[in-house]
Amino acid sequence: MIKLINEFGKMPGIGQKTAERLACHVLKQSPDEAMQLAYAIRDVKKFIKACATCFNVAEEDPCHICRSTERDHSTICVVEQVADLLIIEKTGKYHGLYHVLCGHISPLEDITPESLTIEKLLQRVKEIPAKEVILATNMNMEGDATALYIHKQLGSLGVRVTRLARGLPSGSYLEYANTAIIADAISGRNEMGHP
Ligand SMILES: [Zn+2]
């Protein structure tokens, strides 16, 4: 039990009290139910990996999006995390590629540009070469700062850089927005101009 509480406690945003509550929940579950959690954790490490190109999670590398011949390979939509990619996919309005940053720049949390996948993004933009990069980071301080930083880095590459439309309320997280708003934000995306 202590071991389980400790493991839950290591997860982001889970404090001691919540860790205890989760452990109690598992204790009350039937053996079958509890094993579903164990299997899900085992399988995610066994079968799922990060796509080495876009950092989407996938059962195959490259992922199904990077491999697709139906998609527009000259447009890359940059998101902070896989959950954001999933919500944009859900709109059915976007048919380009993605690039998952695996976070945002945040000096307060000691997250530097180097700890994200920005270098790989710049490399992809040059290699493809991409015609447009859509910066779909969250509409909050960290997301804006990250978008601005990437915009500057892309400056010399001659690629069109756009940002999701401000239909998304300021301070909002993509993953909690509804798909209709995200769909609007994609179709109404704004040019970022020269950095
Ligand atoms: Zn991929």
Side-chain angles (χ1 to χ4, degrees), residues 51-56 58 61-67 98 124:
C51 170
T53 305
C54 73
F55 300 92
N56 181 17
D61 179 18
C63 71
H64 70 282
I65 295 176
C66 287
R67 269 186 296 125
Y98 289 94
R124 283 181 77 195

